[in-house]
Amino acid sequence: MRERIETFALNQHRKLRALIVEPARVKRSTPVLLFLHGRGEASEQENELQKVCAHCSPPDQARRDRLKNVIVVAPQAPEDPEKQWDWEPYLLKIKEFLRSRFNGHRILATGFSRGGLGVLQFILKFPNRVSRWA
């Protein structure tokens, strides 16, 4: 199992970090599981990316080797205390990231709480991008 953090720009001032957990051997047939967290795991602080592993989440399960033969991608949305927190502003960048980084892999998606809503929003915006969701 390999684990790393990748960062991509949302705009000139903000970045989105993603925790990626991969099996030791990755093939083109290895699916990618996009995990969107809930409101409580959002943060601007780089050292708080580990929050996406809370509550026995998919990245936590992959770290414990309980999810086999899947790449888990868990972006952490920046906290925005002035607004009603939502995944909507980040979905296009997440789609672009998945396409550039994992092109050709089957995409699965799941989310906890507000992340579940984010998964539904993602599927509505990009209906052909996700093959399975929960």
Side-chain angles (χ1 to χ4, degrees):
M1 185 232 356
R2 296 178 298 206
E3 184 177 318
R4 71 181 169 290
I5 298 168
E6 292 192 21
T7 303
F8 51 100
L10 291 172
N11 58 39
Q12 198 172 10
H13 306 288
R14 297 181 93 180
K15 296 177 182 175
L16 194 68
R17 290 176 304 281
L19 177 64
I20 300 173
V21 184
E22 296 179 307
R25 293 183 183 190
V26 175
K27 304 174 189 173
R28 280 295 237 194
S29 61
T30 305
V32 173
L33 175 60
L34 172 65
F35 169 68
L36 300 181
H37 62 74
R39 182 178 186 175
E41 290 76 42
S43 177
E44 289 282 349
Q45 304 301 314
E46 191 168 340
N47 63 341
E48 291 192 356
L49 181 61
Q50 298 305 317
K51 285 182 170 183
V52 301
C53 292
H55 313 298
C56 299
S57 67
D60 177 58
Q61 296 301 309
R63 282 177 153 180
R64 296 171 190 251
D65 204 29
R66 292 181 182 157
L67 286 178
K68 307 284 186 191
N69 194 34
V70 66
I71 301 165
V72 177
V73 175
Q76 183 179 34
E79 188 174 37
D80 196 348
E82 296 176 14
K83 294 184 178 179
Q84 178 71 14
W85 191 85
D86 193 358
W87 275 104
E88 180 69 30
Y90 313 111
L91 297 178
L92 178 60
K93 291 292 184 177
I94 291 170
K95 182 192 120 202
E96 291 171 355
F97 173 74
L98 291 172
R99 185 178 59 211
S100 68
R101 180 68 181 75
F102 299 102
N103 194 29
H105 290 264
R106 188 168 53 119
I107 304 294
L108 314 171
T110 192
F112 289 171
S113 188
R114 191 71 53 95
L117 175 60
V119 167
L120 293 175
Q121 291 170 326
F122 190 88
I123 291 167
L124 285 172
K125 274 189 115 138
F126 315 110
N128 298 323
R129 192 64 190 123
V130 173
S131 60
R132 301 274 191 262
W133 64 276

